[in-house]
């Protein structure tokens, strides 16, 4: 099957939003976010620890090489073995979001593929948030999902939840500003501007915040 054509350039505002969210999410990619996400210690005899370690390493390698289908296959198998661990759920959401990112799929030319991919990403993000409702990173991924769907106001809501869970993270405040600054809702615009002020307090030396 012919690979989807690369998409046409998106408006500058959209690129900035995606870039900001990418900064926030960047630390999530490829690596476990917490100690409990590491490979579990000795447990039931039927738990294939060697296979778990292999799947994690392969998943990371495939993500690094941008082999998204292969990465997804490894992570999905890992989830069947460790359904309640953050590592697999988080990285599956990331892979599925990457598959529908503008640089990987032209939405205009491949709307049906985008719709199917968006539904898969929605499922992965929803499951992640249900299992880890107090994880700020899960809500950041939800924001990225809403940006992919074109709903910046909902992205702001998700980033607000993330910011409440990680109040010292200035990047999330910048993300709220970028996602909401062009909203048609005056309340969202006011929130976006207020968030930039909080970002200034948290990171007064940030060149981006000073420029804005």
């Amino acid at each position: 099957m012919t690979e989807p054509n690369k998409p046409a350039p998106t408006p500058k505002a959209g690129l900035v939003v995606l870039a900001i969210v990418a900064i926030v999410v960047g630390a999530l990619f490829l690596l476990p976010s917490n100690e409990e996400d590491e490979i579990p210690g000795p447990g039931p005899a039927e738990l294939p620890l060697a296979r778990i370690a292999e799947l994690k390493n392969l998943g990371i390698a495939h993500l690094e090489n941008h082999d998204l289908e292969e990465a997804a296959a490894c992570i999905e198998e890992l989830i069947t073995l460790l359904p309640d661990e953050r590592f697999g759920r988080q990285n599956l959401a990331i892979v599925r979001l990457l598959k529908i990112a503008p640089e990987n799929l032209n939405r205009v030319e491949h709307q049906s593929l985008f719709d199917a991919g968006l539904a898969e990403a929605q499922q992965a993000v929803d499951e992640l948030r249900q299992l880890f409702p107090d994880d700020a990173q899960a809500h950041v991924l939800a924001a990225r999902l809403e940006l992919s769907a074109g709903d910046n106001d909902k992205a702001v809501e998700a980033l607000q939840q993330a910011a409440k869970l990680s109040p010292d993270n200035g990047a999330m405040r910048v993300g709220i500003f970028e996602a909401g600054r062009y909203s048609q809702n005056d309340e969202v615009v006011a929130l976006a501007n207020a968030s930039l002020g909080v970002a200034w307090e948290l990171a007064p030396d940030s060149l981006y915040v000073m420029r804005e």
Side-chain angles (χ1 to χ4, degrees):
M1 183 177 69
T2 303
E3 293 186 0
N5 295 330
K6 295 298 181 182
T10 56
K12 182 179 180 182
L15 290 174
V16 173
V17 170
L18 291 173
I20 293 299
V21 174
I23 291 171
V24 178
V25 177
L28 310 183
F29 280 66
L30 311 179
L31 299 174
S33 59
N34 294 286
E35 290 183 2
E36 71 244 35
D37 294 321
E38 299 292 345
I39 297 170
E46 66 271 14
L47 191 63
L49 298 182
R51 180 57 177 165
I52 289 170
E54 180 184 24
L55 288 169
K56 286 192 172 186
N57 291 333
L58 284 173
I60 290 171
H62 286 310
L63 270 173
E64 288 176 340
N65 292 326
H66 211 67
D67 298 326
L68 301 181
E69 294 293 344
E70 292 83 353
C74 291
I75 294 167
E76 286 168 358
E77 183 179 345
L78 182 64
I79 289 174
T80 66
L81 298 172
L82 298 172
D84 298 325
E85 281 217 5
R86 182 182 285 105
F87 179 89
R89 297 288 182 176
Q90 181 174 278
N91 280 281
L92 181 62
I94 290 169
V95 168
R96 290 183 175 177
L97 285 167
L98 284 172
K99 288 174 68 175
I100 59 172
E103 64 270 21
N104 296 321
L105 182 64
N106 189 316
R107 178 176 182 175
V108 174
E109 296 182 6
H110 302 277
Q111 186 66 50
S112 61
L113 286 177
F114 177 85
D115 290 343
L118 183 66
E120 290 184 347
Q122 180 78 65
Q123 180 183 8
V125 170
D126 287 348
E127 290 173 354
L128 177 65
R129 294 177 90 183
Q130 289 168 8
L131 285 170
F132 306 103
D134 296 327
D135 181 10
Q137 299 164 347
H139 297 292
V140 170
L141 290 173
R144 181 158 180 168
L145 176 72
E146 298 298 349
L147 290 173
S148 296
D151 195 332
N152 284 30
D153 287 1
K154 285 188 176 180
V156 168
E157 292 179 10
L159 285 170
Q160 280 185 277
Q161 294 184 58
K164 289 177 182 178
L165 294 167
S166 186
D168 296 329
N169 190 321
M172 290 182 183
R173 306 288 182 171
V174 174
I176 293 172
F177 170 69
E178 284 295 346
R181 66 190 301 190
Y182 299 112
S183 174
Q184 299 301 308
N185 186 324
D186 291 341
E187 291 183 2
V188 173
V189 173
L191 174 64
N193 291 331
S195 293
L196 186 63
V198 176
W200 168 262
E201 295 175 1
L202 293 172
D205 296 329
S206 167
L207 294 177
Y208 174 85
V209 176
M210 287 189 289
R211 185 174 67 249
E212 294 298 325

